[in-house]
Amino acid sequence: MGGEGWFVMKLLVTGGAGFIGCNFIRYWLKNYPKDKIVNLDKLTYAGHLSSTLDFKDNKNYRFIKASITNTRLVDRIMRDVDIVIHFAAESHVDRSIIGPTLFIKTNILGTQVLLDAALKNKIKRFHYIGTDEVFGSLQLGSDKKFDEETNYDPRSPYSASKAAADHLVRAYFHTYGLPITITNCSNNYGPFQDPEKFIPRMITNLIDGMDLPIYGDGLSVRDWLYVEDHVRAIESVIMGGRLGETYLIGGMTRDISNLDVARKLASIFGKKNSVIKFVKDRAGHDRRYAVDWSKIKNELGFRPRYDFDVWLEKTVDWYRENEWWWRSLKSRAENLYRKTNQY
Ligand code: NAD
Ligand code: DAU
């Protein structure tokens, strides 16, 4: 598969006004300038047309505002599409704890609507964007990592809905022969991430002179990956991944706690660690994620390129230089945390 060189593709990207989706479209239009992209996004609280301004007028790009649960429309849109890259989801664990229903509708039923349409329209590839959270929680201090053989053990309504979607996507491969691939990725950071999520919340709080609210004891560990590395990994799976296969994608190979990330950010801003404030823990908070990405490296030659410390600083620069993008989103984010008492 590939737009550059041998044939031009038409991609349907769902959720392309969200964080990873907009970074994917930006990358793809630059690197595969002949391909056509349709972005189907409902523009929920997490979808921002402001994240698409730099490519919205590209002649090979089209935006459609609608829900992936709209069966008739999804079927119509897919008629002349070659590949579906399915990012659209309710993606925030804290919101899933407050209200799981929408997660079930969007993440499970929405995925099934897309799968049915893909089957009907004989799509050449359906690529599903999964998460490492489906594997549950690893123990602090252990050297265990998730890999493609790890049993599913989702522990939040968000990860349970994403796990169900993984299973559905695989079921459509085995039962109906739909040509699918899945990637399960760890925590992304980078430009255009909503200030509700950890790293942008910390950065925008520091810009605003606010404290850094850390859940629980702050020792939980995430496996951080710069968003463009995720996009490049998806590219390598679309281009060379075997049908029916799942590939895990991860970043850092050593553990780093949320507290350490907050300390690094405070120091970038020249602030003392006293800006860190411990707040109520997340219910069912997963302790540690770590991803073994040997399969994608050995089969497809993919490895992350962007160093965490360097790209964390560049991400800080991006938020400093692009206040126009996040300023109007900040009060909604902090209102959410006032409701959950985590501010
Ligand atoms: P995000 O919340 O920033 O964006 C989600 C996008 O989906 C938004 O633009 C939203 O408007 C859209 N959307 C939501 N419901 C929709 C619906 N019913 N119909 C159409 N569009 C809808 O999410 P993100 O961080 O960019 O994550 C994208 C995908 O990657 C998700 O599937 C998520 O589970 C997965 N993922 C995210 C991370 C991460 O660290 N952010 C890591 C691994 C996997
Ligand atoms: O692992 C991949 C997942 O990463 C994706 O599937 C999700 O879509 C994405 O949101 C992310 O989930 P997390 O729950 O890990 O990300 P979040 O940014 O919400 O939180 C990261 C860690 O930081 C987590 O341990 C909770 C903690 N945290 C978060 C916030 C917002 C804090 O300590 N303080 C905060 O203010």
Side-chain angles (χ1 to χ4, degrees):
M1 293 213 150
E4 192 77 319
W6 57 297
F7 79 90
V8 175
M9 294 192 298
K10 182 161 176 185
L11 283 69
L12 172 63
V13 172
T14 69
F19 165 46
I20 307 173
C22 81
N23 280 290
F24 176 85
I25 294 175
R26 184 169 293 108
Y27 177 91
W28 204 271
L29 288 172
K30 186 168 165 225
N31 289 284
Y32 302 91
K34 291 182 184 155
D35 282 357
K36 295 189 187 319
I37 296 187
V38 176
N39 175 8
L40 172 65
D41 196 302
K42 186 182 168 188
L43 297 183
T44 66
Y45 79 93
H48 315 299
L49 285 182
S50 55
S51 304
T52 68
L53 287 183
D54 55 314
F55 55 74
K56 76 173 178 36
D57 295 325
N58 185 307
K59 64 179 185 353
N60 288 330
Y61 171 77
R62 190 171 148 223
F63 174 70
I64 299 173
K65 180 178 186 295
S67 174
I68 55 167
T69 56
N70 183 335
T71 310
R72 283 176 64 183
L73 185 78
V74 165
D75 180 39
R76 199 157 6 108
I77 294 169
M78 253 194 238
R79 274 178 203 162
D80 57 348
V81 161
D82 298 302
I83 303 188
V84 177
I85 324 282
H86 176 27
F87 292 91
E90 287 295 331
S91 74
H92 192 173
V93 174
D94 290 323
R95 281 180 181 259
S96 83
I97 295 167
I98 302 168
T101 309
L102 189 55
F103 285 72
I104 307 308
K105 285 188 180 148
T106 298
N107 299 358
I108 306 178
L109 294 175
T111 299
Q112 191 230 333
V113 167
L114 289 165
L115 287 165
D116 279 340
L119 201 55
K120 197 167 154 197
N121 290 287
K122 301 191 168 44
I123 294 298
K124 295 189 185 82
R125 174 75 69 94
F126 186 100
H127 183 73
Y128 180 68
I129 309 297
T131 171
D132 64 348
E133 297 200 12
V134 296
F135 302 115
S137 180
L138 297 167
Q139 268 190 358
L140 273 191
S142 87
D143 54 6
K144 269 202 174 156
K145 292 187 176 190
F146 302 135
D147 64 27
E148 287 76 5
E149 306 305 319
T150 305
N151 287 335
Y152 276 53
D153 184 23
R155 294 152 41 98
S156 73
Y158 163 68
S159 52
S161 69
K162 291 292 289 183
D166 282 7
H167 293 316
L168 266 179
V169 173
R170 259 180 232 118
Y172 272 64
F173 171 74
H174 292 294
T175 309
Y176 306 114
L178 185 72
I180 66 101
T181 40
I182 297 178
T183 43
N184 293 86
C185 188
S186 63
N187 285 64
N188 287 211
Y189 68 99
F192 298 104
Q193 187 170 28
D194 194 280
E196 277 188 15
K197 299 287 176 80
F198 179 58
I199 287 184
R201 185 181 186 204
M202 298 300 115
I203 296 173
T204 51
N205 273 18
L206 283 160
I207 293 174
D208 281 352
M210 292 157 66
D211 289 338
L212 302 184
I214 300 295
Y215 296 176
D217 59 12
L219 299 181
S220 295
V221 166
R222 295 294 182 265
D223 181 328
W224 293 104
L225 182 74
Y226 188 63
V227 63
E228 195 174 312
D229 271 334
H230 186 185
V231 167
R232 290 175 45 250
I234 296 165
E235 174 190 34
S236 71
V237 172
I238 294 172
M239 294 304 178
R242 288 180 294 134
L243 294 182
E245 290 292 316
T246 293
Y247 298 86
L248 264 54
I249 307 168
M252 306 193 40
T253 46
R254 69 189 164 81
D255 281 9
I256 176 163
S257 67
N258 295 335
L259 197 53
D260 284 340
V261 174
R263 285 183 182 136
K264 278 179 195 287
L265 287 168
S267 124
I268 293 171
F269 279 81
K271 296 269 170 82
K272 298 211 170 86
N273 288 337
S274 53
V275 292
I276 293 168
K277 190 170 96 180
F278 295 93
V279 299
K280 196 180 81 178
D281 206 356
R282 172 183 282 173
H285 196 172
D286 287 342
R287 209 48 170 149
R288 172 174 173 263
Y289 303 147
V291 171
D292 174 351
W293 38 270
S294 324
K295 178 175 172 182
I296 191 169
K297 175 169 74 71
N298 296 338
E299 272 192 27
L300 304 174
F302 172 82
R303 57 166 63 243
R305 184 185 279 171
Y306 299 104
D307 173 77
F308 184 65
D309 287 324
V310 174
W311 287 84
L312 188 65
E313 280 210 49
K314 288 190 194 279
T315 302
V316 168
D317 291 343
W318 188 88
Y319 280 88
R320 278 179 163 145
E321 287 156 17
N322 291 282
E323 190 168 335
W324 67 272
W325 181 82
W326 59 265
R327 175 55 66 197
S328 63
L329 313 175
K330 183 70 180 157
S331 51
R332 182 252 303 143
E334 289 310 306
N335 283 340
L336 174 79
Y337 292 115
R338 266 188 274 280
K339 264 194 230 152
T340 61
N341 213 14
Q342 287 163 310
Y343 66 102

